[in-house]
Amino acid sequence: MDPMLLDIDEPFTSSRLLIRAAGSGDGAAINEAVKESLERLRLWMPWAQQAPTLEQSELDARRAGIAYRQREDMRLLLLDRESGRLIGSSGLHRIDWGARRFEIGYWVRTSEEGKGFVTEAVHAITGFAADRLDAHRIEIRCDSRNERSASVARRCGYTLEGVLRGDSLSPDGGRRDTMVFAKVRGAELDV
């Protein structure tokens, strides 16, 4: 089935989060969260090497919404269900619809670190991908030095399949190793 024909229930929720696609009007909240967290994000995220302008954040949010509707990339915002405050961002990336393979990426604003929001979001997004998108394989990839990100994958029951040595460049231009965690239907990924 062509992914454009999928009727995707969105937004969806977890116990504390409203999870939905980014889009028009989200730029200000994203800009605020990125600027708050820039020093931490800069270590791991190539897109976070300098503070974005409000206009850049709004354009990025709108483009993300279009990519979501076209099923090319599915960026998701993590919002506090009670206050509506942006907690962070996640999503399903590097999508291969034929193989039904997705990669979950995530970041959380600095003031919300250590509260379990990312773990909660990964559980919810894993369920969404398995139930609504018929995912066969879901991966989490992270720099081998990013222990916080690797801990999320482990807490969510993802299996470390290996470490890709020197496979990419870190934001500072140095070589990095990438840890690849996965859940596969019939093994860890059951619906």
Side-chain angles (χ1 to χ4, degrees):
M1 170 191 278
D2 187 307
M4 289 299 293
L5 296 174
L6 285 173
D7 291 325
I8 298 176
D9 294 334
E10 185 267 326
F12 57 99
T13 61
S14 63
S15 62
R16 298 179 293 166
L17 296 170
L18 174 75
I19 302 169
R20 67 166 175 80
S24 181
D26 288 323
I30 294 168
N31 187 270
E32 176 188 305
V34 168
K35 284 182 175 178
E36 173 190 314
S37 310
L38 197 60
E39 290 306 311
R40 178 93 65 203
L41 292 171
R42 189 175 281 147
L43 299 171
W44 315 114
M45 306 294 189
W47 54 264
Q49 297 311 295
Q50 53 191 350
T53 66
L54 187 57
E55 181 179 88
Q56 288 169 328
S57 295
E58 181 62 25
L59 282 169
D60 184 57
R62 290 177 185 208
R63 287 182 178 128
I66 291 166
Y68 187 98
R69 288 189 301 280
Q70 292 178 331
R71 312 293 192 253
E72 295 168 356
D73 185 83
M74 302 178 82
R75 188 179 319 167
L76 296 163
L77 299 182
L78 312 176
L79 304 163
D80 182 284
R81 282 178 69 174
E82 290 183 17
S83 68
R85 182 173 191 248
L86 180 68
I87 301 294
S89 183
S90 186
L92 296 163
H93 314 293
R94 297 184 185 181
I95 299 169
D96 180 337
W97 286 104
R100 287 296 209 250
R101 184 187 64 77
F102 304 85
E103 179 183 331
I104 297 179
Y106 42 80
W107 64 270
V108 65
R109 69 189 307 152
T110 304
S111 60
E112 300 297 342
E113 288 180 351
K115 298 178 183 177
F117 284 116
V118 174
T119 299
E120 183 177 324
V122 169
H123 279 300
I125 294 166
T126 299
F128 169 77
D131 297 340
R132 298 295 301 135
L133 307 179
D134 196 29
H136 176 75
R137 176 183 175 84
I138 306 172
E139 297 177 352
I140 294 175
R141 293 175 176 238
C142 65
D143 187 306
S144 64
R145 299 168 298 170
N146 191 344
E147 187 51 43
R148 292 182 82 132
S149 186
S151 293
V152 169
R154 289 185 190 103
R155 276 193 303 275
C156 291
Y158 280 73
T159 299
L160 177 62
E161 293 186 329
V163 178
L164 305 175
R165 297 175 296 157
D167 78 309
S168 62
L169 297 177
S170 63
D172 66 6
R175 290 269 169 210
R176 76 175 188 186
D177 298 339
T178 302
M179 300 173 78
V180 179
F181 295 87
K183 283 190 174 192
V184 177
R185 189 172 295 275
E188 308 89 350
L189 186 61
D190 294 316
V191 289

